[in-house]
Amino acid sequence: MPAIADRNSSSFKEIVAAIKSDKSGDIAGSNGCCIPQKRRLRSDAAAARESPVSTPMKLKSPCRRLNSSPNSPANGIKEDFSEKPVKKNWNPRDVEHMRAVKEALHVSTAPSTIVCREDEQKRVLEFCKACIEQEKAGSLYACGCPGTGKSLSMDKVKQQVIDWATKQEDLQPLEVLALNCTSLANTSEIFSKILGKHQPRKKTMGSTSPLQHLQKLYSNNQARAGSKMMLIIADELDYLITKDRAVLHDLFMLTTFPFSRCILIGIANSIDLADRFLPRLQSLNCKPMVVTFRAYSKDQILSILQERLLVLPYIVFQQQALELCARKVAAASGDMRKALCVCRSAMEILEAELRESASNLSLASVEEEFISQQTAPALEIFQSEENNTVRIDHMALALSKTFRSHIVDTIQSLPQHQQIILCSAVKFFRGGKKDSTVGELNKSYIDICKSAMIPPVGILEFSSMCRVLNDQGLFKLGQSRDDKSKRVTLKVDEADISFALQGVRFFRNCLQ
């Protein structure tokens, strides 16, 4: 049986010293990794001492000697953090951090890059370039539901057109008129704005209206020689809709005059307006180009949110929380502005939660957190992200506050046929139409029932259900002796109906 060496013996101390010297000299690998080496045998060490041939020792450079020294930091293991960007931990209790995040997610903040609308922007930009190069007037109608990026895209295109026209040496400077129709005192004031760009110091005299003055100007060949191309961007074009649509008609017809030099871009929320209004213009040789901005999908909303959050040097939202927001908003309306509002609401919920928990913190918990930060930085990062980021429960509560209301509860409690009537009303009124008759709405209701192979109710029962919806504040019915002739108006927001019925595939398909 082998003898066990005494810890106080000289031989035991020599062995320990040899092991320590082996570890200190050989622990560092070429790449800074710890590579365990095989223990040298005593016979090898003895042979090395007894060998008559001496091998010259290679001198190490001062840098290598410093790294291989047992007293050097980390025992010669060098870490390089130059390639890894160090992100600050987000602190929702910091006023500046919270302000920066809210500003990045604010509706009025224009992002540097507008994603998911590249195709629409390209079509509008090419249209403007072609008109300017050919010195030819033209009109374009950009339409889509609210919050689909129409105004942001047109602002981006406007700047791109200005930059492009400035670099073209053979082109005259471009005049630009960008206005929001909601700021006009009356619908016909838009012609005064256009005329003021052409003749800023000249006032119309006599009984000639600004519209007549523009028509005369665009009919005169002499005026064309000295005038510049003008880009007119009229946002919120829906406010110019009158009963006879005369203002819209005259505005687009300005681009058809022989010596007109204006490029008109109208932006509106009414999709169906193009189907009802443009055929009349086309019959008069006015053919506006139509660019439709569809509602954002789940993936597009998620991409836009991530793009806005890229400017921040810290992680604010859990990925699952952003995905939940994108999925719910896309199912309800596809309104990007609604998604931004939901994210800001989720942040405020987290802020209130932290404010409430801050009053319950004790000194012991603070000391414990400080110790954990010093001893376990990886654990600290995990806990910081877990406690300070906007989680999925915060987002779910924000979505509930945004979309959930007594109206949603009322819609979900309705019988199936009344829910189908609401769906038919949403589809019928989508695109800017304000009201209709009970008879016309009944036809839309029957079409949906036939597509789903559901037997529709008769006209008397249909009229009765419309009165029930009127009593619950979802419809507004007008007065008429004949039930079919009663005017019906939808009194609730389309997003509330979509959110209330999105859980049923049948209704989800109907509302698409």
Side-chain angles (χ1 to χ4, degrees):
M1 181 176 178
I4 300 175
D6 185 11
R7 290 180 176 271
N8 297 324
S9 64
S10 58
S11 59
F12 182 82
K13 292 181 179 179
E14 289 177 1
I15 294 173
V16 172
I19 293 173
K20 287 185 178 180
S21 64
D22 288 344
K23 288 184 178 180
S24 63
D26 300 326
I27 192 170
S30 60
N31 295 327
C33 299
C34 299
I35 304 174
Q37 295 188 357
K38 295 181 179 180
R39 181 177 296 178
R40 296 173 183 175
L41 299 176
R42 293 185 182 179
S43 58
D44 295 339
R49 288 194 302 269
E50 296 172 359
S51 176
V53 181
S54 60
T55 303
M57 182 179 65
K58 294 182 180 180
L59 296 177
K60 296 181 179 180
S61 64
C63 180
R64 291 190 177 184
R65 286 202 303 270
L66 177 62
N67 289 339
S68 63
S69 173
N71 298 324
S72 62
N75 200 14
I77 302 175
K78 186 178 180 182
E79 296 183 6
D80 184 13
F81 297 98
S82 58
E83 298 181 357
K84 298 179 181 180
V86 179
K87 287 191 175 183
K88 296 183 295 183
N89 292 329
W90 183 56
N91 183 11
R93 298 180 179 89
D94 191 320
V95 178
E96 289 298 320
H97 285 198
M98 186 65 71
R99 182 197 59 79
V101 180
K102 288 184 178 180
E103 183 178 349
L105 294 173
H106 202 277
V107 176
S108 61
T109 302
S112 57
T113 304
I114 303 174
V115 297
C116 303
R117 287 294 180 238
E118 292 82 1
D119 293 340
E120 291 83 354
Q121 294 177 35
K122 183 179 179 181
R123 291 180 61 190
V124 178
L125 180 60
E126 291 177 350
F127 166 79
C128 294
K129 286 182 178 180
C131 292
I132 295 172
E133 289 175 340
Q134 301 172 12
E135 296 187 353
K136 181 181 178 182
S139 58
L140 184 144
Y141 184 80
C143 56
C145 296
T148 52
K150 302 183 298 296
S151 300
L152 280 177
S153 297
M154 293 305 111
D155 287 341
K156 185 73 172 180
V157 170
K158 179 188 71 174
Q159 191 59 47
Q160 290 175 345
V161 172
I162 293 174
D163 296 341
W164 172 82
T166 305
K167 297 178 182 178
Q168 307 301 316
E169 298 180 355
D170 55 338
L171 296 178
Q172 290 185 354
L174 179 69
E175 290 279 0
V176 178
L177 173 62
L179 53 90
N180 192 306
C181 296
T182 58
S183 63
L184 300 176
N186 54 73
T187 56
S188 59
E189 189 183 359
I190 189 171
F191 302 116
S192 301
K193 298 285 186 181
I194 299 173
L195 184 60
K197 270 290 183 179
H198 281 292
Q199 301 172 345
R201 298 181 181 178
K202 186 176 179 180
K203 296 183 179 180
T204 57
M205 303 297 293
S207 59
T208 305
S209 66
L211 173 60
Q212 293 172 340
H213 201 91
L214 285 172
Q215 292 172 343
K216 183 179 179 180
L217 181 66
Y218 292 153
S219 301
N220 188 355
N221 190 16
Q222 296 179 352
R224 178 185 176 92
S227 62
K228 303 176 182 178
M229 292 292 294
M230 179 186 294
L231 175 62
I232 304 171
I233 301 178
D235 200 357
E236 301 291 351
L237 205 65
D238 309 74
Y239 283 82
L240 301 183
I241 298 176
T242 56
K243 289 185 178 180
D244 55 358
R245 296 188 178 88
V247 176
L248 276 179
H249 174 268
D250 294 332
L251 179 62
F252 277 89
M253 289 301 294
L254 287 177
T255 62
T256 63
F257 283 83
F259 305 110
S260 174
R261 296 175 65 81
C262 63
I263 306 168
L264 174 63
I265 298 179
I267 309 171
N269 295 327
S270 301
I271 299 176
D272 293 345
L273 178 63
D275 299 332
R276 302 194 304 268
F277 175 63
L278 294 183
R280 178 185 174 187
L281 292 177
Q282 292 173 354
S283 64
L284 299 172
N285 200 27
C286 178
K287 300 178 180 179
M289 178 180 177
V290 180
V291 178
T292 304
F293 287 71
R294 301 296 179 188
Y296 284 116
S297 65
K298 174 183 73 69
D299 295 335
Q300 289 175 329
I301 293 176
L302 183 60
S303 298
I304 295 172
L305 290 175
Q306 292 172 338
E307 185 71 23
R308 281 182 173 257
L309 294 170
L310 276 179
V311 300
L312 303 172
Y314 28 72
I315 298 175
V316 182
F317 292 85
Q318 284 185 349
Q319 182 67 16
Q320 295 88 342
L322 292 177
E323 291 175 358
L324 175 64
C325 175
R327 185 169 64 252
K328 292 295 184 182
V329 174
S333 60
D335 189 339
M336 190 62 216
R337 294 178 299 185
K338 186 76 71 175
L340 293 174
C341 292
V342 170
C343 289
R344 286 168 59 88
S345 177
M347 284 181 51
E348 293 171 355
I349 293 172
L350 171 63
E351 188 179 15
E353 179 183 282
L354 293 175
R355 193 184 304 115
E356 182 180 357
S357 62
S359 60
N360 301 325
L361 287 177
S362 61
L363 182 60
S365 63
V366 175
E367 292 178 353
E368 183 180 353
E369 182 180 358
F370 176 76
I371 294 173
S372 64
Q373 290 176 355
Q374 300 299 320
T375 58
L379 179 61
E380 181 271 328
I381 294 174
F382 173 78
Q383 290 176 344
S384 174
E385 292 179 354
E386 183 69 23
N387 296 330
N388 291 343
T389 53
V390 179
R391 303 187 303 272
I392 193 170
D393 55 324
H394 300 136
M395 189 65 70
L397 184 57
L399 286 165
S400 178
K401 287 184 176 181
T402 303
F403 291 103
R404 192 80 181 181
S405 63
H406 69 281
I407 296 175
V408 174
D409 295 332
T410 301
I411 295 172
Q412 290 179 341
S413 64
L414 292 174
Q416 183 187 40
H417 281 275
Q418 294 184 25
Q419 292 175 340
I420 296 176
I421 294 175
L422 286 177
C423 289
S424 62
V426 169
K427 295 188 67 174
F428 197 77
F429 296 137
R430 186 177 290 166
K433 193 168 184 179
K434 301 295 183 182
D435 59 359
S436 180
T437 62
V438 173
E440 292 176 343
L441 185 61
N442 182 53
K443 294 179 182 178
S444 177
Y445 157 79
I446 293 175
D447 292 339
I448 293 179
C449 289
K450 287 183 178 179
S451 64
M453 293 184 292
I454 297 175
V457 300
I459 185 61
L460 294 178
E461 189 174 353
F462 181 86
S463 301
S464 176
M465 287 191 293
C466 287
R467 287 194 296 271
V468 172
L469 295 174
N470 176 77
D471 296 338
Q472 293 182 340
L474 305 177
F475 274 0
K476 180 182 178 181
L477 290 178
Q479 300 294 328
S480 178
R481 293 183 178 179
D482 184 13
D483 287 341
K484 290 185 178 181
S485 302
K486 287 182 178 180
R487 308 298 298 183
V488 57
T489 307
L490 189 61
K491 297 298 293 181
V492 295
D493 190 50
E494 176 186 341
D496 289 333
I497 299 176
S498 301
F499 183 78
L501 302 178
Q502 65 179 344
V504 182
R505 181 182 298 178
F506 165 68
F507 293 120
R508 191 165 59 245
N509 295 335
C510 289
L511 294 170
Q512 287 180 352

